[in-house]
Amino acid sequence: MKLFPKEVYQERRKRLKQLMGKGVLVFMGNEESSINYKDNWYPFRQDSSFLYFFGLDLPGLVAIIDVDQNLEVIFGDDVSTEDTVWFGSVPALSTLAESVGVSSVRPAAAMDTFSKTVSLERVHLLPPYRPENLLKIAEWFRVPVPQVPRLVSESFIRSIVSLRSIKSEAELVELNHAVSLSVELHKTVMRGAREGMYEYELLGKVMGGAAAAGGSLSFPPIITTQGQILHNHVYSRKLAEGGMLLGDFGAEAPSHYAGDITRTIPVDPTFSSQQREVYQLVLDAYQLAVGALKPGMFFKEVHLMACARLTEGLKSMGLMKGDTHEAVAQGAHALFFQCGLGHMMGLDVHDMEDLGEQYVGYTDTLKKSTQFGLKSLRLGRQLEAGFVVTVEPGLYFIPQLMDQWQAAGLHTDFINYGELKHFRDFGGIRVEDAYLITPKGSEVLGPPLEIEIEEVEALRAL
Amino acid sequence: MKLFPKEVYQERRKRLKQLMGKGVLVFMGNEESSINYKDNWYPFRQDSSFLYFFGLDLPGLVAIIDVDQNLEVIFGDDVSTEDTVWFGSVPALSTLAESVGVSSVRPAAAMDTFSKTVSLERVHLLPPYRPENLLKIAEWFRVPVPQVPRLVSESFIRSIVSLRSIKSEAELVELNHAVSLSVELHKTVMRGAREGMYEYELLGKVMGGAAAAGGSLSFPPIITTQGQILHNHVYSRKLAEGGMLLGDFGAEAPSHYAGDITRTIPVDPTFSSQQREVYQLVLDAYQLAVGALKPGMFFKEVHLMACARLTEGLKSMGLMKGDTHEAVAQGAHALFFQCGLGHMMGLDVHDMEDLGEQYVGYTDTLKKSTQFGLKSLRLGRQLEAGFVVTVEPGLYFIPQLMDQWQAAGLHTDFINYGELKHFRDFGGIRVEDAYLITPKGSEVLGPPLEIEIEEVEALRAL
């Protein structure tokens, strides 16, 4: 458990109370998650908002803030004397609570009683994403499970999003640490990948490297020869001559802050000319997007700028045609770039995704588009200094999607379907780094990682 | 996904139907488990009974066998055309179902309708260990969540236990593979552990090694300098001169069969004389126990034989005294050996633990003891040819427990409390391997792994 000084948590809770003004705020800590029987557990992961406001990285806790009474309580049980035989001794929960500035601790079972003393109108809950917490909420507040979503508090979500979106100096230290670990893992793969290896051998290096540094991974890694499959969590393929390897993974620091980086490398020592052309185009879009990051800029605009740059390049390559602005407006480029340019990053790799994209990435006046491509953009709103965002353009050649679009006669004004045959087996390329929005622009998190074609090839040659 | 030929699954289901005779058997497949937001997932793990009878290693499936109508159905949804963009193309569920000999496939949502056509008396359910399955069962069968346990079918559990307890040749191939991988991981740690390293560095080797072989780990690894903490999942300590390292971990093969091995090594090139004495005693108990394994033998007896051997040795060392048989009968040895000698192993490392220890490890006539020590013995019943069990004696010097027992005046006839002071900082030693019960005795699973003192020291010297 990596903790900030208790004043950090006190200050965060104080600001939250000011934003909320009133009510009883409930923070559901996480439980252990069972794998194949109750006591065989996945690695414990505390809820990120619980970590942000209460810091304690242990299962079975619930915390409340009664704003009206200025009361903060952590509900949970000490390890029993008998359990110390099995698990070793652990500081008393009251001692741990003190370390985050909370003086009131009650047994876990007392939450049931407490919940029934509070009128439902005063209760503020976050959307539960784990079924055991859904069940607990239903029981405590005596609502049927399907009606629990009605208890979710928009003002509570908005207040938390406003605080967690702006990263403090101390958080940036942790984010930089997570990104530094991520850079090391990527270097291992970028150097070590060789023709004839299996993807899972590289997965082993990544998982082992993260654990060996005392951390873990912030999301299921993508380490694939089939970069066009965007959420590919299969690792059974062999690295083949002439192919590429796309690695999209990041470390989670012991403090649970996330890193997230993508690189695409050739299996051969150098890129082929076709790979080089596509890679350079993706990199151009990346650099254009990075250059546009600054407070006040809509991230949706940055996304569209990258889309336009990709479209220009695809036109030069003969795959697209027509007016670039019009093509992007109609979403024709999404045949090759189906997803969004990036997302917030913090204690979650998609920061605060559990709280709802409509609050984290959009606003009352900027709603998410329903257009294919744009509907996968997690972040659209204006950037502010202190945001941490990823920039991750890519080009993905998905035969099923090409065939689907062509059969449906989609965007024939902008797509040269006849030319696509040269790219059916190309795969996909993405590059990604995380950036802090500064008062004047942005700066990359962590140490620099090879990204230019020459740099990547030089690293591969080592 | 590693599958057996479809006839294997058909035969297993046929035997299950014969054992059950009637009713509707429900197999709850597992879902993805969320880490810190809904779509960030732990590695998917299918339910083991689902794997045993239906083989399919995908989330979101439910299977039923209507014994009376000789009907087998898998409920689940195909990947949508849009999802193939994100996840790649996957064979149709009907094709997958064919590969395990099931011809009837229905959409996931149809389970809700189906469940309401079946009278509750005909329904057989296994105990749910994941909350989302608990919720589904409650909804489908219209019972309140707290009453779901009433739907659990003892006859269903007993039938499955009787089948899964006896491992087939094909299963033994997989178990041997899991153990072979586990042996390799242990060799890496036994060779690589050095003074000054942190436990998490070795954790990294283990996690990385398992993944690099295309597998995973069958349970959260114990890799600790504090071997006396029996369920220690903290990896933050440094390996210190004069100390020991206890590694208890095993690989899960791609087929999901488990391995489970423990070794304890000195951080120095050789054991100290005190470590050597305790290690040899644990090894003697291990060898005595292994020699006693055979069909018809109660595993509880084997456990008690090991306890007696440990007690004899502790008497020689001056830590215990009095009549060995009496000391073991009263549980005095449990100050040093607080847990059980072993457990069943198969698709789960504690095989079928979700179904209930009272059915897997005990019988109607042999109930689990409530005595400290014996109450942690997961397996007591008579061994049968085809069982796979672990043998894992140990000696654990737990200062809190010593103080507790001494303060309570427990077993003063058998414990020389005055002598314990020489062992307060000793730690703990355990050795463990898995054995197949054969018609005449037993044989170890996997290739041999260094276990004798000289062998371990020789490996450390490499």
Side-chain angles (χ1 to χ4, degrees):
Chain A
M1 178 153 49
K2 158 83 188 183
L3 278 181
F4 298 118
K6 71 176 168 189
E7 291 74 18
V8 169
Y9 300 100
Q10 287 170 322
E11 176 64 20
R12 288 173 179 174
R13 295 194 297 267
K14 184 179 153 199
R15 293 180 61 197
L16 179 63
K17 284 182 270 193
Q18 287 166 348
L19 287 170
M20 292 298 296
K22 61 182 179 154
V24 175
L25 320 179
V26 180
F27 298 83
M28 304 294 298
N30 283 337
E31 298 278 356
E32 300 281 12
S33 289
S34 301
I35 305 174
N36 51 339
Y37 51 88
K38 185 171 166 296
D39 291 341
N40 203 26
W41 296 324
Y42 287 111
F44 175 69
R45 178 53 155 82
Q46 182 58 294
D47 174 72
S48 296
S49 288
F50 195 97
L51 283 175
Y52 186 84
F53 292 102
F54 290 91
L56 300 187
D57 194 7
L58 295 168
L61 304 179
V62 178
I64 64 105
I65 300 177
D66 186 330
V67 182
D68 312 276
Q69 313 223 9
N70 197 23
L71 179 71
E72 299 172 338
V73 185
I74 294 176
F75 293 86
D77 296 323
D78 282 317
V79 173
S80 69
T81 315
E82 185 168 341
D83 278 353
T84 60
V85 171
W86 306 97
F87 299 103
S89 40
V90 174
L93 185 57
S94 57
T95 309
L96 294 171
E98 276 298 341
S99 71
V100 294
V102 174
S103 53
S104 177
V105 165
R106 299 189 199 165
M111 182 62 199
D112 189 54
T113 324
F114 174 84
S115 62
K116 291 176 175 60
T117 65
V118 183
S119 73
L120 270 188
E121 300 76 58
R122 293 185 63 223
V123 172
H124 295 268
L125 283 163
L126 301 174
Y129 53 89
R130 289 195 177 191
E132 61 273 27
N133 280 343
L134 182 67
L135 272 167
K136 278 190 228 167
I137 291 170
E139 196 184 313
W140 290 338
F141 297 104
R142 286 185 271 204
V143 295
V145 166
Q147 282 172 42
V148 166
R150 290 198 201 167
L151 299 184
V152 167
S153 160
E154 201 176 301
S155 62
F156 192 19
I157 291 174
R158 287 182 190 280
S159 300
I160 291 184
V161 168
S162 77
L163 292 172
R164 285 182 55 189
S165 294
I166 309 295
K167 272 64 181 179
S168 70
E169 285 302 320
E171 289 185 282
L172 288 169
V173 168
E174 294 303 323
L175 280 162
N176 270 299
H177 181 49
V179 174
S180 301
L181 288 176
S182 309
V183 164
E184 284 311 308
L185 298 177
H186 273 272
K187 286 202 177 189
T188 303
V189 169
M190 292 169 76
R191 281 198 194 113
R194 287 292 175 266
E195 191 242 314
M197 277 185 178
Y198 285 92
E199 294 159 346
Y200 56 73
E201 297 179 63
L202 296 162
L203 173 70
K205 287 183 194 287
V206 170
M207 290 182 66
S216 58
L217 296 174
S218 58
F219 62 98
I222 298 172
I223 300 174
T224 183
T225 57
Q226 307 290 304
Q228 81 284 2
I229 304 176
L230 295 165
H231 292 171
N232 195 348
H233 300 138
V234 175
Y235 310 100
S236 57
R237 294 192 185 86
K238 206 182 224 180
L239 276 60
E241 205 180 314
M244 293 184 290
L245 183 79
L246 185 153
D248 181 351
F249 49 84
E252 183 169 303
S255 58
H256 300 296
Y257 282 84
D260 185 3
I261 295 176
T262 304
R263 288 294 184 272
T264 308
I265 61 170
V267 172
D268 299 338
T270 56
F271 288 96
S272 73
S273 62
Q274 193 187 35
Q275 288 165 354
R276 178 179 291 262
E277 189 173 14
V278 177
Y279 188 98
Q280 188 59 52
L281 174 53
V282 172
L283 186 57
D284 289 348
Y286 165 95
Q287 282 161 342
L288 183 74
V290 169
L293 297 174
K294 63 176 181 187
M297 174 67 95
F298 282 91
F299 195 74
K300 183 178 178 179
E301 281 310 310
V302 184
H303 170 85
L304 292 172
M305 284 166 63
C307 294
R309 184 67 195 84
L310 293 173
T311 301
E312 287 291 333
L314 290 163
K315 280 165 61 180
S316 313
M317 289 162 60
L319 298 177
M320 290 186 71
K321 60 190 175 183
D323 180 68
T324 298
H325 180 76
E326 200 48 40
V328 170
Q330 297 194 20
H333 66 285
L335 179 57
F336 309 101
F337 181 41
Q338 300 81 7
C339 49
L341 184 70
H343 51 80
M344 296 268 230
M345 190 173 86
L347 276 166
D348 309 300
V349 61
H350 293 170
D351 209 23
M352 303 172 276
E353 184 162 305
D354 61 311
L355 301 180
E357 244 168 34
Q358 67 271 41
Y359 306 111
V360 178
Y362 292 86
T363 63
D364 284 345
T365 50
L366 180 72
K367 303 287 181 193
K368 193 152 83 160
S369 167
T370 56
Q371 188 185 61
F372 180 79
L374 267 183
K375 75 175 174 184
S376 300
L377 179 65
R378 299 173 193 281
L379 176 62
R381 66 179 169 129
Q382 277 178 300
L383 298 171
E384 297 176 32
F387 280 19
V388 167
V389 301
T390 65
V391 176
E392 45 178 315
L395 286 170
Y396 312 100
F397 298 88
I398 307 172
Q400 302 96 310
L401 194 66
M402 294 175 181
D403 294 342
Q404 237 175 277
W405 279 36
Q406 185 167 19
L410 290 184
H411 300 300
T412 48
D413 291 349
F414 301 112
I415 311 248
N416 286 320
Y417 283 104
E419 292 301 308
L420 299 183
K421 58 180 178 293
H422 308 299
F423 286 84
R424 288 185 73 87
D425 300 324
F426 181 87
I429 287 177
R430 172 167 67 254
V431 296
E432 174 187 22
D433 287 300
Y435 284 82
L436 167 69
I437 307 303
T438 59
K440 295 192 167 173
S442 74
E443 61 190 42
V444 72
L445 263 69
L449 174 63
E450 285 76 357
I451 192 166
E452 297 279 354
I453 288 175
E454 300 67 34
E455 292 173 345
V456 171
E457 290 180 349
L459 189 66
R460 295 283 294 144
L462 288 182
Chain B
M1 178 152 50
K2 158 82 187 181
L3 277 181
F4 297 119
K6 72 175 166 190
E7 291 73 20
V8 169
Y9 300 100
Q10 286 171 322
E11 177 64 21
R12 288 174 178 173
R13 294 194 298 268
K14 186 180 149 197
R15 292 179 63 195
L16 179 63
K17 284 183 270 193
Q18 287 166 348
L19 286 169
M20 291 299 294
K22 61 181 178 154
V24 175
L25 320 179
V26 180
F27 298 82
M28 304 295 298
N30 283 336
E31 298 278 356
E32 300 280 12
S33 290
S34 301
I35 304 174
N36 50 341
Y37 51 87
K38 185 171 167 294
D39 291 340
N40 204 25
W41 296 325
Y42 286 112
F44 174 68
R45 177 54 156 80
Q46 181 59 292
D47 173 71
S48 296
S49 288
F50 195 97
L51 283 175
Y52 186 83
F53 292 103
F54 290 90
L56 300 187
D57 195 8
L58 297 167
L61 304 178
V62 178
I64 64 104
I65 300 178
D66 186 330
V67 182
D68 311 279
Q69 314 223 7
N70 197 25
L71 179 71
E72 300 172 339
V73 185
I74 295 176
F75 294 86
D77 296 323
D78 282 316
V79 173
S80 70
T81 316
E82 185 168 341
D83 279 354
T84 62
V85 170
W86 305 98
F87 299 103
S89 40
V90 174
L93 185 56
S94 58
T95 308
L96 294 171
E98 276 298 340
S99 71
V100 295
V102 174
S103 53
S104 178
V105 165
R106 299 189 198 165
M111 181 62 199
D112 189 53
T113 322
F114 173 84
S115 63
K116 291 179 175 61
T117 66
V118 183
S119 73
L120 269 188
E121 300 76 57
R122 292 184 65 224
V123 171
H124 295 269
L125 283 164
L126 301 174
Y129 52 89
R130 288 194 177 191
E132 60 274 28
N133 280 344
L134 182 67
L135 273 167
K136 279 189 228 167
I137 292 169
E139 196 183 313
W140 290 338
F141 298 104
R142 287 184 271 205
V143 295
V145 166
Q147 281 172 41
V148 167
R150 290 198 202 168
L151 299 184
V152 168
S153 160
E154 202 176 300
S155 63
F156 192 19
I157 292 174
R158 287 182 189 278
S159 301
I160 291 183
V161 168
S162 77
L163 293 173
R164 285 182 55 190
S165 294
I166 309 294
K167 272 61 180 180
S168 70
E169 285 302 319
E171 288 185 284
L172 288 168
V173 169
E174 294 305 322
L175 280 161
N176 270 297
H177 181 47
V179 174
S180 299
L181 288 175
S182 308
V183 164
E184 284 311 308
L185 299 178
H186 272 273
K187 286 201 178 190
T188 304
V189 169
M190 292 169 76
R191 281 197 194 111
R194 289 289 176 269
E195 191 243 313
M197 278 186 177
Y198 285 93
E199 295 158 345
Y200 55 73
E201 296 178 65
L202 296 162
L203 173 70
K205 287 183 195 287
V206 170
M207 291 183 66
S216 58
L217 296 175
S218 57
F219 61 99
I222 299 172
I223 299 173
T224 182
T225 57
Q226 309 289 307
Q228 80 285 2
I229 303 176
L230 294 165
H231 292 172
N232 194 348
H233 300 137
V234 175
Y235 311 100
S236 57
R237 294 192 184 85
K238 208 183 224 182
L239 276 61
E241 206 180 314
M244 292 184 290
L245 183 79
L246 186 153
D248 181 353
F249 49 85
E252 183 169 302
S255 58
H256 299 298
Y257 283 84
D260 186 3
I261 294 175
T262 306
R263 288 294 184 272
T264 309
I265 60 171
V267 172
D268 299 339
T270 56
F271 288 97
S272 73
S273 62
Q274 193 187 36
Q275 289 166 353
R276 178 179 291 260
E277 189 173 15
V278 176
Y279 188 98
Q280 188 59 52
L281 174 53
V282 171
L283 187 58
D284 289 348
Y286 165 94
Q287 282 160 342
L288 183 74
V290 168
L293 298 174
K294 64 177 180 187
M297 175 68 95
F298 282 92
F299 196 74
K300 183 178 177 180
E301 281 311 308
V302 185
H303 170 84
L304 292 171
M305 285 166 63
C307 294
R309 184 67 195 85
L310 293 173
T311 301
E312 286 291 330
L314 290 163
K315 280 165 61 181
S316 312
M317 291 162 60
L319 298 177
M320 290 186 71
K321 59 187 176 185
D323 180 69
T324 298
H325 180 76
E326 201 46 41
V328 170
Q330 295 195 21
H333 65 286
L335 178 58
F336 309 101
F337 181 41
Q338 300 82 6
C339 49
L341 183 69
H343 50 80
M344 295 267 229
M345 188 173 88
L347 276 165
D348 309 300
V349 61
H350 292 169
D351 209 22
M352 304 172 276
E353 184 162 305
D354 61 313
L355 301 181
E357 245 168 34
Q358 67 272 41
Y359 306 111
V360 178
Y362 292 86
T363 63
D364 285 345
T365 51
L366 181 72
K367 303 286 182 195
K368 194 153 81 159
S369 167
T370 56
Q371 188 185 60
F372 181 78
L374 267 183
K375 75 175 174 185
S376 300
L377 179 65
R378 297 173 195 281
L379 176 63
R381 68 177 168 130
Q382 277 179 299
L383 299 171
E384 298 176 32
F387 280 19
V388 167
V389 301
T390 65
V391 176
E392 45 178 314
L395 286 170
Y396 312 101
F397 298 87
I398 307 172
Q400 301 96 311
L401 195 66
M402 296 174 181
D403 295 344
Q404 237 174 278
W405 278 36
Q406 185 167 20
L410 289 185
H411 300 301
T412 47
D413 291 348
F414 301 112
I415 311 246
N416 286 321
Y417 283 105
E419 292 301 309
L420 299 184
K421 59 180 177 295
H422 308 298
F423 285 84
R424 288 184 73 89
D425 298 326
F426 180 87
I429 287 178
R430 173 166 67 253
V431 295
E432 174 187 23
D433 286 301
Y435 283 83
L436 167 69
I437 306 303
T438 60
K440 294 193 168 173
S442 74
E443 60 190 42
V444 72
L445 263 68
L449 174 63
E450 286 78 356
I451 192 167
E452 298 279 355
I453 288 175
E454 299 69 32
E455 292 173 345
V456 171
E457 289 181 349
L459 190 67
R460 295 283 294 143
L462 287 182

